[in-house]
Amino acid sequence: NMNPFKNLKILIAADGGAASGKTTGSKQLSKKFDLKLLSSGLLYRYVSLRLLSNKRKNNKRNFITKITKNISLKQLKNKRLFDPEVTKYSAVIAKSKMIRLSLRKFQKNFAKQKRVCIEGRDIGTVICPKADIKLFFKCSLKVRALRRLKEYRKNNKKISLNEVKKSLKTRDYHDSTRKISALKIAKDSIVVDTTKLNKKEMEKKLVNIVRRKLKNKYG
């Protein structure tokens, strides 16, 4: 795999709502272009897990400052980050200005590395406004719900499509109405609609976008 962009500095910001394809797409690009990948949602899940397991919440601020200083990518691979109560609580703490600011620092530092892709909900607008490439993923609610259902069914056989749809709608509402770092499309984003794309088609489309952008930038 000859990568003509091997030695260039690359920063990709990928945003989008839940189940829009941004995590899958970011993984594909990171593999293809040899980028370090950060899924910022995992940071909120990690803080959520740590807060839930440390019920002594009297001095939350110090505790949060301490744990957000040095999060390792290994800690973000913990299966427990996807426990239902962690998922619920991370949506709650995502509204906290203090938590967003301490995680913002971590993300901005991560972005200083040479070849990076960060995916989330406020990356192109807040975390990396100067990213080389900004992608915004979108997808119809129905397709997103079907994708999520497949994921959830692995752990919970009883969950219904309607329940998944409802939880996605709630999530979208919280994400786009948050007072700080709401989910919105950056002016210079390329919108990628994944509704009708399978994984292979999505990868092809994304790789072409990135190649084109890098050619324009570096010639």
Side-chain angles (χ1 to χ4, degrees):
N1 180 15
M2 265 296 291
N3 186 350
F5 307 109
K6 195 165 80 224
N7 299 313
L8 305 177
K9 190 174 178 355
I10 302 173
L11 176 55
I12 298 177
D15 291 299
S20 58
K22 69 175 182 313
T23 304
T24 303
S26 299
K27 281 180 180 159
Q28 291 170 333
L29 287 174
S30 299
K31 216 174 146 181
K32 192 84 184 167
F33 292 95
D34 189 25
L35 310 171
K36 289 194 166 69
L37 173 65
L38 176 64
S39 295
S40 67
L42 294 177
L43 296 171
Y44 292 92
R45 288 176 179 275
Y46 173 74
V47 172
S48 165
L49 177 66
R50 293 291 302 267
L51 285 172
L52 288 169
S53 37
N54 281 276
K55 288 287 196 240
R56 26 164 253 280
K57 295 228 185 82
N58 47 6
N59 199 341
K60 219 156 89 175
R61 184 177 285 263
N62 284 355
F63 181 63
I64 287 162
T65 310
K66 207 178 95 189
I67 63 171
T68 52
K69 263 209 180 72
N70 33 24
I71 300 170
S72 71
L73 289 178
K74 197 177 164 198
Q75 287 168 316
L76 300 179
K77 287 192 167 78
N78 187 341
K79 291 255 190 309
R80 287 183 54 212
L81 296 180
F82 292 92
D83 289 354
E85 64 166 339
V86 174
T87 301
K88 253 204 186 89
Y89 193 47
S90 59
V92 174
I93 66 165
K95 291 185 206 156
S96 150
K97 190 169 182 183
M98 185 213 1
I99 290 175
R100 289 203 88 87
L101 289 176
S102 38
L103 287 174
R104 189 178 293 178
K105 220 183 247 160
F106 179 88
Q107 293 172 86
K108 281 184 178 286
N109 275 335
F110 189 91
K112 285 179 185 147
Q113 299 172 91
K114 194 173 175 193
R115 304 170 66 82
V116 173
C117 175
I118 304 186
E119 56 108 347
R121 284 166 169 72
D122 63 346
I123 310 303
T125 49
V126 176
I127 305 292
C128 304
K130 292 193 165 70
D132 301 300
I133 300 161
K134 295 180 188 179
L135 302 168
F136 191 94
F137 288 78
K138 61 179 231 187
C139 179
S140 77
L141 181 64
K142 189 181 161 196
V143 172
R144 286 163 53 208
L146 287 167
R147 282 180 190 160
R148 256 306 127 95
L149 185 67
K150 231 162 82 183
E151 282 170 37
Y152 287 162
R153 280 268 162 89
K154 289 177 198 151
N155 307 319
N156 174 0
K157 296 278 179 275
K158 288 199 185 76
I159 195 161
S160 74
L161 184 61
N162 267 341
E163 284 174 275
V164 177
K165 257 191 189 159
K166 223 163 100 182
S167 86
L168 283 176
K169 268 187 167 151
T170 310
R171 187 67 215 261
D172 288 346
Y173 177 75
H174 285 311
D175 284 339
S176 42
T177 55
R178 246 203 323 265
K179 284 227 173 22
I180 46 164
S181 299
L183 172 70
K184 50 178 185 284
I185 305 181
K187 277 199 271 301
D188 45 354
S189 282
I190 298 167
V191 176
V192 181
D193 190 333
T194 66
T195 307
K196 295 190 169 75
L197 302 177
N198 63 32
K199 281 184 181 168
K200 233 186 157 124
E201 294 164 333
M202 183 160 94
E203 179 171 21
K204 199 175 160 193
K205 184 178 181 138
L206 290 170
V207 167
N208 284 337
I209 290 172
V210 172
R211 283 211 170 117
R212 200 173 61 237
K213 281 293 242 187
L214 291 174
K215 274 207 176 79
N216 287 345
K217 183 174 173 162
Y218 293 109

